[in-house]
């Protein structure tokens, strides 16, 4: 399709009102090839030739050479660049040369593992090279066969944690001969999930060492700023070879920044992002352009599916059944059906969460619509790259929300297009998570002092806590697990809150699941829950039973909850003095309470009502950065505004909104609170904290880049055209105080006092 012509048509359409904020035309590139340093095994060469592979892109050759030389390798190239061959070739080559060699392939989802299993099958090397998946769907008989004979086992971190490591005596031969551990989509392992997986991998390396093996790690990632640091923090190995020069061909991409039009100039209020994305989605699908719409949340994917089907019913009723939604929470059967229909072309369009951001093969899509900034430069390119295959042209459209971050990008497109990707934050020494995995490790095999180096610098302190609790008992130089249960079963590696909440209809049928960290916000009484285009209302939240009871509901609104936060400082680990203020990083106790929810009208986003809630408080220890405003600056600010708390509150909201500039974050990952005078600092203070117990590294990253974050915040407030503050700069939909008080102009003046001389442009940083 001629996408330049398509944009011209859009500009002439009846609903166009200047939404195109920027068009970036990214030229394609021709393939660049490299040479292998050694000949491939004849059977492998024959298998590759049968698929038309006679030469390797330059990054593939570099990665294969390094892997076959025995080095840890991390490949950091774009979507659809052929990263699979970077690990399949050295692994299969080794197995063909040394039939006792074994490999684990770890994928974050079962769907990815099944997709890669199909690619291995297509090589036609079975049974000379034997491979199989090993997950929760594998039967007992199949598991025995896999352990006994498979060269390559495709699994996920959950199964490694729950099924393989605790039963390692059944894997003795496999672990003794483990040569490779492949970690695909490594950038997914951040935050809580990443901290858990880092400990699972250390447990794996510990058992391999016991059996006399020392496996190589071959990692693949989307483009990120810190591939070496992430590889080392995740796996515990050092000095990986980083392969980041992409030699794969790419087609010309047209990338559009689309800003919904203003409907209230004074309040800077815009047309709903969902409405704009749906219009574009339906327009492209109606022209039979195969399109994927990415959304930030499950609810958004369901909303867009519902909107699209309503519009297509009038515009092109024959296409209503050719669009679908895809997200976590669907059953395995439902997800597989959507994947197959996408790949075959039966579906023309899909609205998906980032569940389809990863490398599942869904065929040749032509256009991608991103409903809101995905949270990082890396994820944006990953999602955009799901459209476009080989040298075919592609269209990507980022439809902005009215959030501070997204309006900042709409006003500073060069910041995005000229910027390298963000860091992936990972804290493998989260004490709460580490203690859980120390118990798992001790269950697998008694811990020794030699293990402490492998398990991380915080392990010794955590062992003391576990000894005091009595869950570990020391016998000489070893620690033994002192309980009769199975500790891995109590550790959910995808959260810090244990088992998920079940969502059941009034007849007891399972509708979906929700993470404990989100349950109070998403499943409170009165909440609207969307699933497969159907609408449900929460009747009851059974906290002790970890379930929500829902009933079908035909309503014209959705819901969004708000919470309040109180914070106590435990201790400051470090501080840094700037010219006009001081910042700190340390440990805090956060108490959060969901207090109300908004009923927001579909399509228009109008707030129909605000309903109070009475839910228990949730308290946890985590990491935070905070900075204080000295009395001298407060006196200067008083000449400009008497609303010091409103100024602090507005600054806090805007700064948190720009946190994704530093690292990919979700709304639940980070929080903030501001005080006119905090009891522990005795000064006006702003706090930014990790949203999970123990911390995940985001507050620390913000502490290390605080001046940059505050400069970007000042730029945002300078550029926003509103007068009193709006959702595009200082208002937050998550604020439990209903955005009161807020003083945008006071916040800008406070930033000028904190930072000194004004800067009109925020410089992009890698």
């Amino acid at each position: 399709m001629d996408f330049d012509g398509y944009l011209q048509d859009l500009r002439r359409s009846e609903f166009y009102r200047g939404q195109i904020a920027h068009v970036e035309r990214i030229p394609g590139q021709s393939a660049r090839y490299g040479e292998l340093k050694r000949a491939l095994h004849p059977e492998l060469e024959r298998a590759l030739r049968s698929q038309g592979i006679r030469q390797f892109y330059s990054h593939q050759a570099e990665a294969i050479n390094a892997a076959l030389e025995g080095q840890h390798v991390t490949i950091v190239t774009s979507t659809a660049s052929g990263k699979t061959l970077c690990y399949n070739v050295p692994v299969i080559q080794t197995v063909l040369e040394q039939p006792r060699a074994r490999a684990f392939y770890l994928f974050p989802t079962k769907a990815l593992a099944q997709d890669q299993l199909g690619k291995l099958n297509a090589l036609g090397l079975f049974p000379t090279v034997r491979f199989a998946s090993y997950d929760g769907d594998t039967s007992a008989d199949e598991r025995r066969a896999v352990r006994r004979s498979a060269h390559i086992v495709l699994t996920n971190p959950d199964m490694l944690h729950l099924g393989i490591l605790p039963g390692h005596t059944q894997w003795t031969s496999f672990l003794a001969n483990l040569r490779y551990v492949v970690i695909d989509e490594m950038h997914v392992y951040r935050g809580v999930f990443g901290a858990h997986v880092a400990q699972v991998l250390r447990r794996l390396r510990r058992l391999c060492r016991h059996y006399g093996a020392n496996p190589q790690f071959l990692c693949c990632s989307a483009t990120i700023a810190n591939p070496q640091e992430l590889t080392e923090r995740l796996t515990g190995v050092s000095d990986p070879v980083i392969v980041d020069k992409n030699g794969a061909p790419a087609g010309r991409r047209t990338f559009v920044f689309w800003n919904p039009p203003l409907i209230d100039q004074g309040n800077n209020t815009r047309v709903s992002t969902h409405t704009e994305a749906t219009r574009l989605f339906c327009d492209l699908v109606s022209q039979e352009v195969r399109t994927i719409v990415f959304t930030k949340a499950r609810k958004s994917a369901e909303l867009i599916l519902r909107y699209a089907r309503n519009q297509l019913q009038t515009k092109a009723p024959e296409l209503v059944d050719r669009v679908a939604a895809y997200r976590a929470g669907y059953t395995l059967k439902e997800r597989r059906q959507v994947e197959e229909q996408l790949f075959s072309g039966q579906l023309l369009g899909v609205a998906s969460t980032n569940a389809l951001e990863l490398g599942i093969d869904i065929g040749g899509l032509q256009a991608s619509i991103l409903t809101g900034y995905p949270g990082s430069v890396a994820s944006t390119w990953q999602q955009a790259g799901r459209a476009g295959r080989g040298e075919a042209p592609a269209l990507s459209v980022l439809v902005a929300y009215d959030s501070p971050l997204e309006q900042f990008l709409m006003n500073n497109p060069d910041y995005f297009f000229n910027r390298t990707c963000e860091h992936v934050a990972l804290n493998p020494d989260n004490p709460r998570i580490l203690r859980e995995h120390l118990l798992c490790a001790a269950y697998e095999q008694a811990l020794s002092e030699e293990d402490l180096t492998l398990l991380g610098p915080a392990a010794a302190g955590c062992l003391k806590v576990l000894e005091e609790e009595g869950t570990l008992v020391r016998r000489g130089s070893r620690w033994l697990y002192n309980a009769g249960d199975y500790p891995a079963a109590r550790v959910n590696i995808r959260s810090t809150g244990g088992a998920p909440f079940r969502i059941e209809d009034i007849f007891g049928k399972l509708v979906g699941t929700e993470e404990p960290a989100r349950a109070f916000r998403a499943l409170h009484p009165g909440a609207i829950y969307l699933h497969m285009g159907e609408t449900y209302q929460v009747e009851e939240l059974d906290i002790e039973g970890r379930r929500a009871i829902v009933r079908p509901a035909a309503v014209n609104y959705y819901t969004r909850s708000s919470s309040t936060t109180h914070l106590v400082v435990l201790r400051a680990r470090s501080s840094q003095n700037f010219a006009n203020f001081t910042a700190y990083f340390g440990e805090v106790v956060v108490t959060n309470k969901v207090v109300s929810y908004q009923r927001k009208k579909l399509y228009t986003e109008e707030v129909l009502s605000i309903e109070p809630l009475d839910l228990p408080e949730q308290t946890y220890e985590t990491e935070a950065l905070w900075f204080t405003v000295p009395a001298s600056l407060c006196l200067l600010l008083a000449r400009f505004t008497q609303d010091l708390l409103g100024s602090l509150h507005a600054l806090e909201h805007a700064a948190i909104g720009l946190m994704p500039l530093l690292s990919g974050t979700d709304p639940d990952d980070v929080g903030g609170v501001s005080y006119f005078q905090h009891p522990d600092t005795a000064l006006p203070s702003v706090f930014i904290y990790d949203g999970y117990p123990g911390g995940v590294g985001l507050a620390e990253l913000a502490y290390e880049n605080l001046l940059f974050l505050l400069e970007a915040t000042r730029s945002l407030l300078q550029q926003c055209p509103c007068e009193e503050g709006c959702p595009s700069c200082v208002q937050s939909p998550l604020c439990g105080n209903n955005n009161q008080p807020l003083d945008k102009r006071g916040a800008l003046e406070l930033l000028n006092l904190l930072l000194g001389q004004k800067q009109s442009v925020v410089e992009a940083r890698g």
Side-chain angles (χ1 to χ4, degrees):
M1 185 177 186
D2 174 15
F3 289 117
D4 283 337
Y6 175 71
L7 293 181
Q8 291 177 7
D9 292 341
L10 276 181
R11 287 187 171 99
R12 291 192 291 265
S13 67
E14 60 181 20
F15 71 84
Y16 184 74
R17 292 162 55 192
Q19 290 99 318
I20 295 177
H22 180 78
V23 178
E24 188 82 9
R25 292 175 176 85
I26 302 162
Q29 72 171 32
S30 299
R32 297 189 302 273
Y33 296 98
E35 297 292 332
L36 298 187
K37 294 181 180 179
R38 53 185 285 197
L40 293 180
H41 191 283
E43 288 191 57
L44 176 55
E45 188 169 14
R46 192 160 47 247
L48 293 171
R49 285 182 178 275
S50 71
Q51 295 192 328
I53 301 169
R54 288 174 168 77
Q55 53 188 333
F56 295 101
Y57 301 133
S58 55
H59 67 279
Q60 293 173 330
E62 183 183 355
I64 293 167
N65 287 333
L68 290 175
E69 290 171 352
Q71 301 182 78
H72 304 295
V73 182
T74 295
I75 304 102
V76 189
T77 55
S78 60
T79 305
S81 58
K83 290 192 283 282
T84 299
L85 283 179
C86 294
Y87 56 79
N88 270 344
V89 170
V91 171
I92 293 172
Q93 174 81 0
T94 300
V95 169
L96 288 170
E97 293 177 341
Q98 304 168 34
R100 293 184 64 84
R102 298 293 186 262
F104 273 133
Y105 283 15
L106 298 183
F107 302 96
T109 66
K110 291 180 184 178
L112 270 175
Q114 291 300 314
D115 188 67
Q116 293 301 320
L117 189 65
K119 292 180 179 178
L120 283 170
N121 269 313
L123 289 171
L125 290 168
F126 191 88
T128 306
V129 179
R130 298 181 298 276
F131 41 84
S133 61
Y134 193 94
D135 56 34
D137 299 326
T138 310
S139 69
D141 288 342
E142 290 172 327
R143 291 185 183 194
R144 282 191 291 271
V146 171
R147 291 193 297 265
R148 184 175 59 251
S149 62
H151 294 107
I152 302 171
V153 172
L154 295 84
T155 187
N156 52 65
D158 311 77
M159 181 55 71
L160 189 62
H161 158 65
L162 283 168
I164 296 174
L165 298 182
H168 64 90
T169 54
Q170 296 179 306
W171 291 82
T172 300
S173 178
F174 194 98
L175 292 174
N177 292 283
L178 188 63
R179 287 289 304 278
Y180 295 101
V181 178
V182 170
I183 303 177
D184 203 4
E185 307 291 354
M186 182 180 66
H187 58 281
V188 170
Y189 301 116
R190 60 179 173 86
V192 170
F193 188 30
H196 276 294
V197 174
Q199 291 304 325
V200 171
L201 294 175
R202 282 158 176 77
R203 285 162 50 200
L204 171 63
R205 292 180 60 217
R206 173 175 174 261
L207 291 175
C208 286
R209 185 173 64 185
H210 171 71
Y211 289 112
N214 185 25
Q216 279 175 252
F217 283 83
L218 307 180
C219 305
C220 294
S221 174
T223 305
I224 55 175
N226 59 330
Q228 179 168 341
E229 178 189 41
L230 178 60
T231 304
E232 293 177 346
R233 286 194 170 198
L234 184 65
T235 66
V237 303
S238 58
D239 298 323
V241 173
I242 305 300
V243 177
D244 56 5
K245 303 276 191 302
N246 185 10
R252 182 174 184 266
R253 182 174 301 276
T254 303
F255 207 130
V256 179
F257 275 16
W258 183 279
N259 207 9
L262 287 167
I263 54 178
D264 186 332
Q265 190 78 34
N267 294 322
N268 205 29
T269 306
R270 298 182 180 275
V271 171
S272 162
T273 303
H274 295 152
T275 300
E276 292 289 291
T278 303
R279 282 175 175 169
L280 291 168
F281 183 42
C282 291
D283 194 50
L284 287 164
V285 167
S286 297
Q287 298 184 53
E288 300 203 352
V289 176
R290 301 191 64 219
T291 305
I292 184 168
V293 182
F294 281 105
T295 68
K296 290 185 175 184
R298 299 179 183 185
K299 185 177 294 185
S300 300
E302 297 287 357
L303 281 173
I304 286 177
L305 174 62
R306 178 173 174 177
Y307 294 170
R309 285 179 172 171
N310 288 344
Q311 288 188 27
L312 290 171
Q313 190 64 54
T314 302
K315 186 176 182 179
E318 71 279 6
L319 299 180
V320 168
D321 293 330
R322 297 191 69 186
V323 295
Y326 185 100
R327 62 171 176 81
Y330 283 5
T331 66
L332 177 64
K333 182 179 179 181
E334 289 169 339
R335 292 197 303 272
R336 291 288 181 271
Q337 183 178 11
V338 174
E339 291 164 18
E340 290 167 4
Q341 290 175 340
L342 265 178
F343 187 83
S344 67
Q346 183 178 342
L347 286 177
L348 271 175
V350 63
S352 173
T353 60
N354 62 1
L356 279 180
E357 176 182 320
L358 305 180
I360 302 168
D361 193 346
I362 51 176
L365 300 176
Q366 299 162 277
S368 51
I369 300 171
L370 284 58
T371 309
Y373 183 62
S376 71
V377 173
S379 286
T380 302
W381 287 114
Q382 187 86 348
Q383 291 184 7
R386 296 301 274 154
R389 181 65 64 91
E391 298 188 50
L395 172 70
S396 297
V397 185
L398 171 59
V399 184
Y401 280 99
D402 55 2
S403 72
L405 173 65
E406 305 197 22
Q407 291 307 307
F408 176 87
L409 292 175
M410 290 295 117
N411 286 310
N412 299 274
D414 289 344
Y415 179 91
F416 174 82
F417 289 106
N418 296 336
R419 188 171 191 255
T420 57
C421 293
E422 304 87 349
H423 285 69
V424 174
L426 170 64
N427 177 18
D429 298 317
N430 178 308
R432 178 169 176 166
I433 292 172
L434 179 53
R435 287 195 296 268
E436 292 177 329
H437 286 277
L438 285 171
L439 294 177
C440 295
Y443 174 90
E444 291 153 9
Q445 184 183 10
L447 291 164
S448 67
E449 292 183 354
E450 184 184 5
D451 294 328
L452 298 184
T453 302
L454 182 63
L455 295 170
C462 289
L463 279 176
K464 290 181 181 178
V465 174
L466 296 172
E467 275 191 83
E468 292 170 0
E469 291 176 354
T471 48
L472 289 184
V473 175
R474 184 163 186 169
R475 295 286 186 267
S477 62
R478 297 167 70 81
W479 288 265
L480 307 179
Y481 184 61
N482 192 37
D485 62 351
Y486 171 53
R490 292 186 276 105
V491 181
N492 179 353
I493 68 170
R494 294 178 187 262
S495 78
T496 59
F501 278 66
R502 290 171 57 86
I503 302 166
E504 301 174 358
D505 66 17
I506 54 177
F507 303 107
K509 179 184 176 183
L510 180 66
V511 176
T513 60
E514 188 59 83
E515 287 298 312
R518 285 182 39 81
F520 284 16
R521 289 190 290 273
L523 300 177
H524 56 77
I528 296 301
Y529 178 77
L530 301 176
H531 183 85
M532 294 292 286
E534 299 297 324
T535 304
Y536 299 86
Q537 187 167 34
V538 177
E539 293 273 292
E540 177 189 353
L541 178 61
D542 177 4
I543 298 171
E544 289 189 6
R546 300 181 87 86
R547 64 174 188 152
I549 309 300
V550 302
R551 63 171 177 81
V555 296
N556 67 340
Y557 65 89
Y558 67 96
T559 54
R560 175 175 279 168
S561 62
S562 300
S563 61
T564 58
T565 300
H566 178 65
L567 184 147
V568 175
V569 175
L570 290 180
R571 72 181 180 97
R573 287 191 213 156
S574 64
S575 64
Q576 47 186 336
N577 294 315
F578 297 103
N580 299 320
F581 69 102
T582 302
Y584 305 86
F585 173 74
E587 296 158 13
V588 298
V589 176
V590 172
T591 300
N592 184 272
K593 183 177 175 65
V594 178
V595 294
S596 64
Y597 68 95
Q598 295 178 344
R599 295 165 61 247
K600 302 191 76 172
K601 192 171 183 179
L602 296 175
Y603 298 102
T604 66
E605 309 288 313
E606 175 190 353
V607 177
L608 300 175
S609 68
I610 299 176
E611 305 293 338
L613 289 169
D614 184 18
L615 293 171
E617 293 181 338
Q618 294 175 294
T619 298
Y620 57 93
E621 293 183 16
T622 189
E623 296 177 335
L625 82 87
W626 62 96
F627 59 88
T628 56
V629 181
S632 57
L633 292 191
C634 292
L635 289 173
L636 293 173
L637 184 65
R639 301 175 186 174
F640 185 85
T641 177
Q642 297 301 309
D643 192 0
L644 174 59
L645 182 57
S647 303
L648 293 164
H649 195 194
L651 189 161
E652 169 221 323
H653 279 189
I656 290 173
L658 295 182
M659 275 289 290
L661 295 177
L662 302 176
S663 176
T665 61
D666 298 322
D668 297 334
D669 290 345
V670 65
V673 62
S674 48
Y675 291 88
F676 182 83
Q677 184 181 57
H678 190 275
D680 297 322
T681 67
L683 287 169
S685 305
V686 173
F687 292 82
I688 296 176
Y689 60 87
D690 284 343
Y692 293 96
V696 293
L698 293 170
E700 184 176 14
L701 186 63
Y703 174 73
E704 293 168 351
N705 296 273
L706 183 56
L707 285 182
F708 167 71
L709 180 62
L710 294 180
E711 288 285 9
T713 304
R714 176 163 64 178
S715 180
L716 168 74
L717 299 185
Q718 288 171 337
Q719 292 172 338
C720 187
C722 74
E723 296 179 6
E724 302 296 332
C726 69
S728 296
C729 58
V730 299
Q731 292 179 9
S732 169
L734 304 177
C735 180
N737 296 312
N738 295 318
N739 289 299
Q740 296 295 328
L742 288 176
D743 186 341
K744 172 194 173 181
R745 288 179 290 182
L748 181 56
E749 185 61 27
L750 176 56
L751 283 165
N752 288 333
L753 291 170
L754 292 170
L755 297 171
Q757 184 65 35
K758 292 184 180 181
Q759 292 183 7
S760 59
V761 177
V762 176
E763 295 180 1
R765 292 192 181 184

